[in-house]
Structures are given as C-alpha cells and as structure tokens.
Amino acid sequence: MTTLNAAIIGGGAIHRCHVNALRQLSGVNLRALVETDSEKGLKLSMDYQCRFYQDYREMLLDDNIHVVHICTPHFEHKNMILAALAAGKHVFCEKPVGMNSGEVADITQAVENASGRLGVCYQNRLNPTSLRIRQEIESAALGRMLSIKAVLTWSRFGDYYRLSPWRGRFATEGGSLLINQAIHTLDLMQWFAGGVTRLKGVVDSGELADVTEAEDSAMATMHFANGARGLFYASNCHTTDSPLLLEIQFEKATLQLSDNVLWQISPAGRVRLVSDESPDGVAKSYWGLGHQQAIRHFYHAIFHPDEANYTDIREAGKSLTLVEAIYRSSQIRQWITLDN
Ligand SMILES: NC(=O)c1ccc[n+]([C@@H]2O[C@H](COP(=O)([O-])OP(=O)(O)OC[C@H]3O[C@@H](n4cnc5c(N)ncnc54)[C@H](O)[C@@H]3O)[C@@H](O)[C@H]2O)c1
C-alpha cells in the first residue's frame, strides 16, 4: 500500500497534535474528521479539507480509511477501538487505552484477533531526555539504579472540569489526575526500572474537591523489578504547569531532569546531557513534543511490519495497572503486590 488514509475521531484539545503529525508524513492523507459537535466538526473538516462525520460508525464503513486516531474522552476508547479493529482498521489511540484492566483485557483479546494494529500515544517515551535515560540504563555505565523520584505539579482550574464534564469522573474519565495527567510519569518510571513489583499509594482531593469526583493529588512509594525504590508525587493544584522533575540515582551518579534538561550529577561535577527541544528550537511544552515521533513510528510499522517499534496494548496496560493499584492501596491503606 503506498498511501494510507486516516480519520480522526474527536476534534478537541489534543487532536491538533495528530493533524500536525499527519501533515508531516509522506504517503499519509487525512481523509475524515468525526465529531459529535457538528458545528465544530464541520468547521474543522473545512479547515482540513476532509470529510466530516458525526457518527464514527458511519466513518468505519469507508473502506478507503485505513487508520483511525482516537482523540475522545476515555469512556469511549474501548468501544471505538473494538469497532475500528472489527472493521479492519489500524488504530492509534490517545492514552489511556481504556479506563481499567478489565477494558485492557477486552482490548488485548480484540487485538489478538484483528488484522490491524493498535498503537497507544505515550509520546513522552520519545523525548530526547527519556531516550537518553534509557540509553544510560542499558549501558549500565552508572552502576546499579538505586531510586527514581518523580514530581509532577500542574495546574487545572475549575473551568477545565466544568466545560468538559467527562473529566474528573470515574464513569467517564476513569479517575482524574492519575489516569489523565500523571499517567505519563507513571509510565516513564516503570519503563525506566523494568516494572513495579509493589507499591503503596494515597490519593486525595484539595483545591479541586468541589469540581472533581476523583483525586487532584496523589503520592506513592514503589519497589521496582530492578531492586530500585520509587517516590512519586503529583498534583493538579499548582498554579502553573511545571516541567516534570525527575531524579534517578545510580551507584556512580544521578540523572536529573529539570526544566526539560537532563543533567548528570556526580562527584566530578554537573554535566548537561541533552534537552527536550525540537530540532527547530521550540522548547518542549508540558505535553511533550513526541506526538510527531510516536505517530511516525506507528505508520512506519504499518508500512514496514518487520520494523515495528511503537507502544502496543501490552506496554500501554502497565501504567493503567499502576493507576488502579494506587487507588486500591489508598482505599485499603496497604501495600499492593503486582505481577510483572
Ligand atoms: N498524549 C497527551 O499528552 C494528551 C494530552 C491531552 C489529552 N490527551 C488525551 O486525548 C483524549 C482527548 O482529550 P482532549 O483533551 O482532546 O478532550 P476534549 O474534551 O478537549 O475533546 C474531546 C472531543 O471529542 C469529541 N467527542 C466526544 N465523543 C465523541 C464521539 N463519540 N464521536 C466523535 N467525537 C466525540 C468532543 O465533542 C470533543 O470535541 C483523552 O484520551 C486525553 O487523555 C492526551
């Protein structure tokens, strides 16, 4: 196949990252936009010079659509993935792939029976700083990993929840801070340390207690499969979207991600390793710059099946397991043991 036609479901905040990424790919064409809000959807489809559908099931009948991007509220992901795979499409879904491990199990089964692929958008794995951390871990040059500390403090005001009522509710978002904003941080922590074996966590609501049903802040202590310890804190109650602060301590040095710059700190001094700036010099936004790369990798896997390298359902399920475990631990005030 020389050209792949794409459709995007959901014309909200994140969909523009997908449109921009698709525009950079050769052999890929945005053929349709699906949006339940017809006024918004018609305007966007005119801007993009593509077809408009209000119902995604109608879009799935178009045999000339090969890849479906899901950019909708979380409670719709599972049914959309299942329907798109059943229609023979490839699917690229925004995180989280579903709302809980039960949904992940259903999706896993559907992927096993499907001809199409399912990729999930964990674009922060492709940040230059994340890739460098993985490289340092794989080379083992810094010795054994001792601990990972991650602090994510972002700002979400009442209107963010009031204007999109699916947010902040268990039935429609699957939670709040953990499953939406902090899931990338949990994913990176477990990815760097090869999985979590035990954790103890707490969730709570402070500033946003009046507008969200679920948590606005969370913390956890973790034990990783590689023997290291993890400390995690996240909150949506800050007054700005601060870049992720990450510290990974090894026997011989510490890697520190601060203001989107990765430093190596050792008795010999502090060395700047790499930063998350795009090649054209644009600084990393708090969403990261990785959508372009993540989407490129997914299409590359479709064009070149032998070179597949994207976040699949198995990988995408891991951070959701952590989200669930932190909720459960908070509820019963006990450590939770996890399978890896
Ligand atoms: N990867 C990231 O860093 C990142 C960042 C932001 C959002 N997201 C994810 O993207 C997804 C969407 O988030 P958002 O912030 O864009 O939400 P949003 O509320 O801004 O937009 C969702 C859009 O989907 C539309 N929609 C809802 N149901 C639909 C349906 N059945 N058919 C067609 N359109 C439908 C809504 O009308 C709305 O326009 C979520 O999964 C979210 O977690 C990911």
Side-chain angles (χ1 to χ4, degrees), residues 58-261:
E58 274 178 39
M59 175 274 292
L60 292 178
L61 297 174
D62 181 348
D63 287 337
N64 283 315
I65 287 175
H66 311 107
V67 188
V68 173
H69 292 238
I70 298 176
C71 299
T72 56
H74 303 173
F75 71 96
E76 304 192 277
H77 289 188
K78 183 189 111 174
N79 287 343
M80 288 178 172
I81 292 169
L82 265 47
L85 290 176
K89 317 294 187 195
H90 300 283
V91 181
F92 188 76
C93 186
E94 267 298 344
K95 56 49 89 174
V97 66
M99 294 201 297
N100 51 54
S101 46
E103 292 197 352
V104 170
D106 293 344
I107 295 166
T108 303
Q109 197 174 12
V111 169
E112 279 164 12
N113 297 325
S115 57
R117 291 173 183 271
L118 169 66
V120 185
C121 193
Y122 278 92
Q123 78 277 5
N124 288 310
R125 286 189 180 201
L126 297 165
N127 294 339
T129 54
S130 304
L131 294 172
R132 180 61 186 263
I133 290 170
R134 284 276 295 194
Q135 215 180 16
E136 295 291 342
I137 293 167
E138 277 158 25
S139 82
L142 304 180
R144 203 161 46 87
M145 185 190 290
L146 304 178
S147 70
I148 304 182
K149 175 183 95 178
V151 178
L152 184 79
T153 51
W154 281 359
S155 164
R156 293 292 177 275
F157 292 103
D159 274 355
Y160 174 80
Y161 298 95
R162 276 189 284 267
L163 298 176
S164 289
W166 66 272
R167 300 183 193 280
R169 298 181 194 290
F170 286 105
T172 47
E173 189 169 12
S176 190
L177 160 86
L178 283 175
I179 200 165
N180 195 328
Q181 289 78 27
I183 198 164
H184 288 295
T185 307
L186 293 171
D187 179 58
L188 288 179
M189 291 177 84
Q190 72 80 25
W191 189 52
F192 292 147
V196 176
T197 54
R198 299 174 79 217
L199 70 73
K200 190 161 190 290
V202 179
V203 297
D204 204 355
S205 256
E207 291 293 333
L208 296 170
D210 292 344
V211 283
T212 64
E213 175 195 10
E215 80 291 344
D216 63 27
S217 303
M219 57 177 246
T221 307
M222 302 170 193
H223 292 170
F224 295 113
N226 66 357
R229 181 182 295 177
L231 302 175
F232 160 84
Y233 174 79
S235 176
N236 272 339
C237 300
H238 195 24
T239 46
T240 185
D241 296 310
S242 297
L244 172 66
L245 177 64
L246 190 76
E247 239 175 55
I248 309 184
Q249 197 193 356
F250 297 84
E251 285 171 309
K252 298 180 192 164
T254 295
L255 296 179
Q256 185 187 70
L257 176 67
S258 170
D259 269 335
N260 301 316
V261 177

Side-chain angles (χ1 to χ4, degrees), residues 199-203 219-221 323-336:
L199 70 73
K200 190 161 190 290
V202 179
V203 297
M219 57 177 246
T221 307
V323 169
E324 272 186 331
I326 294 174
Y327 283 139
R328 177 89 185 117
S329 171
S330 184
Q331 219 171 27
I332 62 173
R333 301 272 160 184
Q334 300 283 332
W335 284 87
I336 304 288

Side-chain angles (χ1 to χ4, degrees), residues 244-305:
L244 172 66
L245 177 64
L246 190 76
E247 239 175 55
I248 309 184
Q249 197 193 356
F250 297 84
E251 285 171 309
K252 298 180 192 164
T254 295
L255 296 179
Q256 185 187 70
L257 176 67
S258 170
D259 269 335
N260 301 316
V261 177
L262 185 67
W263 300 89
Q264 180 173 318
I265 302 165
S266 71
R270 193 170 184 250
V271 180
R272 183 187 166 110
L273 296 182
V274 67
S275 77
D276 286 333
E277 280 177 5
S278 69
D280 55 9
V282 179
K284 176 177 176 282
S285 84
Y286 66 94
W287 277 348
L289 287 166
H291 270 85
Q292 172 68 44
Q293 284 283 76
I295 290 170
R296 180 183 297 282
H297 281 203
F298 187 64
Y299 279 81
H300 186 83
I302 299 172
F303 282 123
H304 305 282

